Amino acid sequence: MTTGRSLLAADEKLMPTRKMRADQQVAVIKAACMSTVPLGAVQLAETTGFPAKNCGLVPMFAVDTGLLVKAHRSTMYLPSRKGRAVARAFARSEEAGLEALRSVWRGQWFGRAMRERLGHGPVTREGLVAKLLLTARANVNRIRQAHVLLDLLVVVGMVVPCENGLLNWYDGAAYALEERSAPQALDVASAEASPEASGPQDTPVGDAPGDDTPLPSTSPQSEPEHASTGGAGLGMTEEHGSDGRRAAKVPDPRRASTTGPHPGPAVADDDLLALLLPPVLLADLTRLTEQEVIALHGHLRAVASLTAKLRGRPVS
C-alpha cells in the first residue's frame, strides 16, 4: 500500500491532509493519543464520529510529529511517549492538552518556521502559507495542505489572530518583548550581540519541551540612559548599563540636515565652524568614498585656517 510519505519527494516535508478540517484533525489526534490499545481508521471513526476514510488520513501526520507510532499492523497506531504526555494533559483540561501539543509541535519544522517568520511582528495569512511551502520545499499544488496546517496551528493556539486580520506567534512578537526590556539593564555582551544570535531558538527537551528562555529581566531601579557627544564631535553616544560599563553606539544617518545650535559645550569665542555647520555624525561619514573624505578634509582645513586668521591665532 502506498503511504502519504512515499508520494513525496525525498526532501519534502509531510503536511496534514486537506480532506479534513483542522479542528476535526485535532479531535482525531486527541483520541489517538488517549487510546491505550492499537487503533486504526475504524476505531478512530467510532470514537470521534467522523468518516473512517478521513480519520485514516490523520495518523501519518501525528506519526511524523512524534505523537504516534505504528503498531503490529501498518494501519494500526499507538501513542508514543510524547503522545501519552499529551493525553495526560488533555485528561486534566482542554487548554492543558492544547498547551502540550504546542510544546511538542514548537520544535517541529513548521513550528520553527512560524516562529522565525513571526519573530518581528504579525504577518498576513498568505505570508505564513508561503513560508510553510518554502520550508516544506513543496510546490504550489500543496497550498491547500499548507492552509490546513496553518489552521491546525491556529486551533492549538500556536498562531493567534490579531484584531487587524494578521496572525502572530502565541508568545508575541520578538520586538514587543525587547521593547519591554530597558536597554540599560542589559549586559554589555548582550547589547553587542548580533540580532541572529539573540533571535528565537528552539531547544526541545524530552517529551515536552520547556518554555522559551526569557529575555534578561528589567531592573526597576536601573539608572537612566546618558548620552554625550563622541570623542571627535562625530555624534557617537554612550549607553550606561546598570553595572557602570559603557558601550558606544553609532546613530543612524540623518534624513535631513538640522539647523539648530551645536549640541556641544559652549565656547567663550564661538567657533565659526560650530556656527556654520550642523553636527557631523559618524554614520554620515561612512557613506563617503575615500576620495570624498580626503576632499572634505581639505575643505575643513581651509575653513579652519580662515577662521584662525579672523581670530588672529595660528592653526595647529
Side-chain angles (χ1 to χ4, degrees):
M1 180 178 178
T2 302
T3 63
R5 168 63 72 181
S6 61
L7 294 175
L8 301 177
D11 58 345
E12 286 189 41
K13 305 294 185 181
L14 184 67
M15 289 190 282
T17 177
R18 58 182 176 83
K19 296 183 179 181
M20 201 172 192
R21 293 203 318 261
D23 58 331
Q24 296 175 344
Q25 295 193 45
V26 171
V28 173
I29 293 174
K30 173 182 175 182
C33 289
M34 300 188 73
S35 176
T36 57
V37 296
L39 45 74
V42 176
Q43 292 78 11
L44 287 172
E46 293 174 353
T47 303
T48 61
F50 303 131
K53 63 178 181 179
N54 291 340
C55 290
L57 301 174
V58 177
M60 282 306 300
F61 181 73
V63 170
D64 195 63
T65 56
L67 294 173
L68 300 179
V69 294
K70 290 188 176 182
H72 57 283
R73 293 173 55 185
S74 60
T75 58
M76 305 293 286
Y77 304 91
L78 277 170
S80 64
R81 288 190 303 168
K82 292 182 180 180
R84 291 193 296 271
V86 170
R88 290 192 296 269
F90 271 116
R92 293 195 299 271
S93 67
E94 187 73 13
E95 181 54 39
L98 295 179
E99 183 178 356
L101 276 178
R102 289 196 297 268
S103 297
V104 173
W105 284 350
R106 188 179 60 185
Q108 297 293 322
W109 65 268
F110 49 85
R112 296 193 302 269
M114 291 296 92
R115 190 178 181 189
E116 175 187 349
R117 186 67 179 87
L118 295 169
H120 297 285
V123 179
T124 62
R125 181 181 183 87
E126 291 74 15
L128 296 182
V129 169
K131 178 65 175 179
L132 289 173
L133 287 174
L134 181 64
T135 307
R137 296 184 176 90
N139 55 38
V140 71
N141 295 332
R142 300 177 63 195
I143 189 172
R144 290 182 60 186
Q145 285 184 274
H147 275 285
V148 174
L149 176 54
L150 182 57
D151 290 338
L152 203 61
L153 300 182
V154 173
V155 170
V156 302
M158 185 177 294
V159 175
V160 294
C162 302
E163 295 180 356
N164 55 5
L166 302 179
L167 297 170
N168 201 5
W169 184 251
Y170 76 100
D171 275 340
Y175 74 89
L177 296 176
E178 291 171 358
E179 287 177 354
R180 292 196 292 267
S181 299
Q184 64 268 22
L186 299 177
D187 187 78
V188 174
S190 300
E192 295 177 349
S194 63
E196 290 78 8
S198 60
Q201 297 179 356
D202 294 295
T203 310
V205 178
D207 291 342
D211 293 334
D212 300 339
T213 302
L215 294 176
S217 59
T218 303
S219 174
Q221 298 180 351
S222 55
E223 294 293 332
E225 183 177 295
H226 300 280
S228 60
T229 305
L234 297 178
M236 297 181 65
T237 61
E238 293 179 349
E239 293 182 354
H240 295 254
S242 57
D243 57 358
R245 290 179 290 180
R246 298 176 296 179
K249 182 178 69 174
V250 179
D252 294 331
R254 295 170 298 172
R255 298 184 180 276
S257 298
T258 57
T259 56
H262 194 279
V267 186
D269 51 346
D270 292 333
D271 190 355
L272 185 57
L273 284 176
L275 297 176
L276 295 178
L277 300 176
V280 179
L281 300 181
L282 180 60
D284 293 329
L285 297 180
T286 59
R287 293 188 168 191
L288 300 179
T289 64
E290 181 179 355
Q291 292 76 13
E292 290 172 338
V293 172
I294 295 175
L296 177 62
H297 176 269
H299 294 321
L300 292 177
R301 186 164 182 83
V303 174
S305 300
L306 177 60
T307 55
K309 289 180 181 181
L310 294 176
R311 292 188 303 225
R313 57 190 186 193
V315 179
S316 57

